[in-house]
Amino acid sequence: MRPDGTSTENGFLDASNESLASTSRKTAPNGQAATNGSSHTNGSKGPSQSSTYYGHNREEVTRILIQSLYELGYNESASLLSSESGYELETSGVATFRSAVLGGKWPEAERILIQSFRNAGSQQVDRKSPQEETLVLAEEADRNEMLFYLRQQKFLELLEARDLPAALNVLRQELTPLNFDVERLHALSSLLMCPTEVLHAQPGWGDSVSSSRERLLGELSKSISPSVMIPQHRLAILLDRVKQTQIHNCVYHNTADTPSLYSDHMCDRNDFPLDVTVDLTQHEDEVWYCEFSHDGSKLVTAGKDHNVFIYNTADFSIIHRLTEHEDGVAFASWSPDDSKLITCSQDKKARVWSVESGRCLLTINHHRQPVTAAAWAADGESFVTASLDAESQLRHWSMRGQSLYTWKGGFRVQDCAISADGRRLVAADTEAKVHVYNMITYEEDYCLPLPSKPTSVAISKDSRHMLINLAEGEIQLVDMETTTVVRQFKGQKQGEFVIRSTFGGAAENFVVSGSEDSKVYIWHKENGSIVETLNGHISGCVNSISWNPADPGMFASAGDDHAVRIWSREGNWPRPVGSVQRSGIPSNGFTRTSALRTTSAF
């Protein structure tokens, strides 16, 4: 449609750590550390045994297995493997340091840390004698950073114990002299008069002291060489990466189930929704929008004929036909619990409806230009409307119709979205920008310039990425924290009309979009390749796509040919008859009567 309104804790260290030289730790029969090639206990490793395991370093594999056995609770098996192989899990220095951190023995932890940096500076090694308790540090290790983390933990624990004089002394005499992360230091000082529950909201602070110390150890391990301190849950991390690689290489991966480790994974193309199984033809003009409810049980469609239809997705019978808008309806949005629906129209109004009764609960008639989009707050008790009205382009409303906040800026908004975690509001500016706001403070986090005008914006379920559809025929996947363009998707035809792209698939593994060539394009999100190009509609533009969040084998497309098409797996649905059967539409297409939908009017 036209935009103007005139018609884990896992992963403490990267896989790159595997390239670091491994410091060998072998246990000789007398209990002393022995280097590679020395005698081994109980004769378990003969001279004919290879130093590699199918191309992998034998020591690394064995030590990771020992760690995993301990994590799985098989302590006796782990000890037996260590004894039989002659490899220790970690040095005595690492073991002592681990015990000191987890036990809250801060002076001992600092002593080991400081001595380790001294040794590193003097080219010494942590194993010049078996009794020396030092660490092998990573090349990028920062002394003040590691000490800051230790002392910060000490400070927070004293605050939790309400020992304010001791906490203040740590802040002044131990943390401040480090001159590290001054902004964080100021934040810590502000906690002195805060209640205990505020402390638990601090980054890295868990439900208990023990869990926060575990996180601290994980953070510190980033600065310790993995050759002496294997990153936590290393085998689980490696297995997870194997699974992710298989998922990324699976072109039609469309399931939330994790792949099995027993065999290689590959989804069948026949299980992908490639067939039109239902045609919805109740609209009498161009259909501009469609969206499934969060539970997948309903579908809303809206279009140029002023009508809004709500369907039951069990059989695609009509639940409600909403007819109170006086002009084309460009957008609709389900509340988080699917009990309410907002519709946005070129009649300059937004309406909130009861999904159960079909009754209009609230009408927003504040805007002086078409209302282009709306987004619900995470609690479902308020919402934001977006408009081409430059004097009131974004406004936050309560369910009583009270204006909670109006963003300033003097620009026009084509689309908006609120992240699932409720933290951010994203607004697509018609002047080739995207504005990202903090929904708690209402402040602008940043403004992102774009190469062309955006026609839609969507946010991933994990609130990490936004998908921006550009009028020049490109879709960008952007990291919301770094603003980095992670991936670009091209191939669809766009330039004149508003098209709303979205995420698709069981785990949002796909990017899906309509196109001005009447087709539906599906890309693999991880590699940007086109998975399928589907002949979506008879003619005109495919304006909107929605993937069923409860059934990954179904999505809907809405087009200028007056139709909404339901795509599903092969043979999954019988072709319907009656009210959902395709009506006769001339194959030569439609005259483009909607002068409201051109991007040139931005």
Side-chain angles (χ1 to χ4, degrees):
M1 69 152 280
R2 289 187 186 264
D4 66 351
T6 56
S7 184
T8 46
E9 289 184 320
N10 285 354
F12 286 116
L13 291 174
D14 275 337
S16 59
N17 288 330
E18 297 168 27
S19 64
L20 295 171
S22 177
T23 305
S24 180
R25 275 156 310 290
K26 304 216 66 155
T27 305
N30 61 3
Q32 300 298 311
T35 58
N36 279 347
S38 62
S39 60
H40 310 288
T41 59
N42 64 32
S44 61
K45 184 176 176 182
S48 62
Q49 208 167 39
S50 171
S51 61
T52 63
Y53 173 73
Y54 293 95
H56 302 285
N57 182 287
R58 177 177 290 272
E59 179 192 350
E60 291 182 358
V61 172
T62 305
R63 291 179 61 224
I64 288 173
L65 289 174
I66 294 171
Q67 181 198 52
S68 303
L69 288 171
Y70 277 122
E71 291 177 346
L72 288 167
Y74 304 135
N75 295 352
E76 292 185 9
S77 297
S79 297
L80 180 60
L81 177 56
S82 179
S83 174
E84 187 173 354
S85 66
Y87 293 120
E88 293 177 327
L89 176 59
E90 51 192 28
T91 64
S92 62
V94 171
T96 304
F97 182 71
R98 177 189 298 277
S99 176
V101 172
L102 298 181
K105 304 171 186 176
W106 310 122
E108 184 175 10
E110 285 200 19
R111 177 185 62 78
I112 295 173
L113 201 57
I114 292 171
Q115 184 60 46
S116 300
F117 275 99
R118 286 176 181 166
N119 287 357
S122 60
Q123 304 294 317
Q124 293 182 4
V125 186
D126 69 321
R127 287 179 294 107
K128 60 176 189 180
S129 72
Q131 291 77 27
E132 186 173 5
E133 295 174 342
T134 55
L135 310 170
V136 177
L137 300 169
E139 291 183 6
E140 67 277 9
D142 185 298
R143 174 183 178 275
N144 285 1
E145 180 183 19
M146 297 183 76
L147 287 174
F148 186 91
Y149 288 147
L150 278 173
R151 294 172 181 177
Q152 173 183 252
Q153 180 73 20
K154 179 180 177 181
F155 170 78
L156 291 173
E157 289 187 18
L158 289 169
L159 280 185
E160 185 176 52
R162 307 315 295 167
D163 190 348
L164 298 184
L168 183 59
N169 184 66
V170 171
L171 184 69
R172 290 176 173 174
Q173 304 300 323
E174 299 183 30
L175 281 165
T176 301
L178 293 175
N179 196 30
F180 179 82
D181 199 346
V182 177
E183 183 178 345
R184 177 62 179 160
L185 192 64
H186 291 162
L188 291 176
S189 64
S190 68
L191 298 175
L192 283 167
M193 304 307 295
C194 291
T196 303
E197 54 266 23
V198 177
L199 298 179
H200 292 169
Q202 296 303 302
W205 193 266
D207 297 330
S208 64
V209 169
S210 60
S211 64
S212 64
R213 288 177 182 174
E214 286 279 1
R215 290 189 178 92
L216 170 64
L217 185 64
E219 189 66 32
L220 293 171
S221 72
K222 296 178 182 179
S223 299
I224 301 173
S225 171
S227 66
V228 296
M229 187 175 187
I230 301 173
Q232 291 177 323
H233 321 305
R234 187 59 185 162
L235 181 60
I237 293 171
L238 295 175
L239 294 178
D240 185 62
R241 290 177 180 169
V242 169
K243 289 184 176 182
Q244 289 303 314
T245 298
Q246 292 203 38
I247 289 173
H248 295 169
N249 292 335
C250 178
V251 176
Y252 295 98
H253 188 77
N254 192 26
T255 173
D257 297 332
T258 181
S260 170
L261 292 172
Y262 289 137
S263 61
D264 292 339
H265 170 79
M266 189 62 66
C267 288
D268 191 335
R269 183 177 183 271
N270 291 330
D271 292 331
F272 204 73
L274 300 175
D275 292 341
V276 176
T277 52
V278 178
D279 285 324
L280 305 176
T281 59
Q282 283 74 23
H283 283 281
E284 299 175 354
D285 212 324
E286 299 169 0
V287 189
W288 290 345
Y289 194 77
C290 64
E291 185 178 339
F292 285 99
S293 59
H294 298 92
D295 65 5
S297 67
K298 300 175 184 66
L299 173 72
V300 63
T301 65
K304 184 181 175 182
D305 61 0
H306 312 182
N307 289 323
V308 175
F309 290 96
I310 299 177
Y311 297 90
N312 183 336
T313 57
D315 56 6
F316 287 97
S317 59
I318 297 174
I319 299 174
H320 297 296
R321 178 184 179 185
L322 312 178
T323 61
E324 294 187 27
H325 281 294
E326 300 169 355
D327 207 333
V329 183
F331 190 88
S333 179
W334 298 92
S335 64
D337 63 358
D338 294 328
S339 67
K340 297 180 288 292
L341 182 75
I342 301 175
T343 55
C344 306
S345 173
Q346 293 179 341
D347 64 6
K348 307 174 187 177
K349 297 175 183 178
R351 295 180 183 270
V352 182
W353 309 83
S354 165
V355 174
E356 181 179 4
S357 67
R359 183 171 60 91
C360 182
L361 304 175
L362 176 66
T363 299
I364 301 296
N365 54 13
H366 166 80
H367 297 287
R368 300 178 182 178
Q369 294 295 329
V371 183
T372 52
W376 288 91
D379 61 4
E381 297 300 320
S382 63
F383 58 91
V384 171
T385 55
S387 172
L388 298 178
D389 181 356
E391 296 180 3
S392 181
Q393 72 279 1
L394 280 173
R395 182 163 286 209
H396 190 191
W397 303 91
S398 73
M399 272 304 298
R400 295 184 177 181
Q402 297 171 324
S403 177
L404 303 177
Y405 188 79
T406 301
W407 282 266
K408 308 299 180 183
F411 55 90
R412 291 155 37 111
V413 177
Q414 175 57 46
D415 198 7
C416 71
I418 293 177
S419 58
D421 61 12
R423 292 177 51 233
R424 282 175 164 156
L425 166 69
V426 178
D429 184 342
T430 58
E431 295 300 322
K433 299 174 185 175
V434 163
H435 303 265
V436 178
Y437 299 95
N438 185 314
M439 269 299 289
I440 308 301
T441 65
Y442 294 125
E443 297 294 324
E444 184 175 80
D445 283 348
Y446 56 86
C447 177
L448 182 65
L450 302 171
S452 69
K453 302 166 186 177
T455 68
S456 71
V457 61
I459 302 178
S460 60
K461 292 178 182 177
D462 61 10
S463 303
R464 292 178 54 197
H465 298 96
M466 55 182 168
L467 195 66
I468 305 171
N469 196 343
L470 301 176
E472 67 176 10
E474 175 181 297
I475 304 170
Q476 293 188 350
L477 181 69
V478 178
D479 187 303
M480 293 191 67
E481 290 297 329
T482 66
T483 72
T484 302
V485 177
V486 178
R487 203 151 288 112
Q488 297 168 305
F489 306 92
K490 299 181 180 180
Q492 83 282 20
K493 181 182 178 183
Q494 187 173 358
E496 187 177 358
F497 302 105
V498 171
I499 295 175
R500 299 184 185 273
S501 306
T502 189
F503 296 98
E508 295 190 330
N509 295 324
F510 305 102
V511 169
V512 57
S513 177
S515 175
E516 292 182 10
D517 59 7
S518 309
K519 297 178 181 179
V520 173
Y521 288 78
I522 303 174
W523 295 266
H524 198 289
K525 190 181 72 174
E526 296 304 325
N527 57 37
S529 63
I530 293 181
V531 175
E532 291 287 345
T533 302
L534 306 175
N535 293 314
H537 291 255
I538 292 177
S539 63
C541 183
V542 180
N543 301 305
S544 177
I545 306 286
S546 179
W547 210 287
N548 191 326
D551 180 1
M554 176 189 294
F555 70 88
S557 60
D560 282 354
D561 57 357
H562 306 184
V564 175
R565 286 190 151 186
I566 308 301
W567 303 76
S568 189
R569 298 184 179 97
E570 183 179 358
N572 206 35
W573 284 78
R575 178 132 337 235
V577 294
S579 63
V580 294
Q581 186 178 15
R582 168 157 299 286
S583 58
I585 299 177
S587 59
N588 59 351
F590 295 93
T591 302
R592 300 300 299 222
T593 59
S594 179
L596 304 176
R597 299 176 51 237
T598 176
T599 56
S600 62
F602 270 160

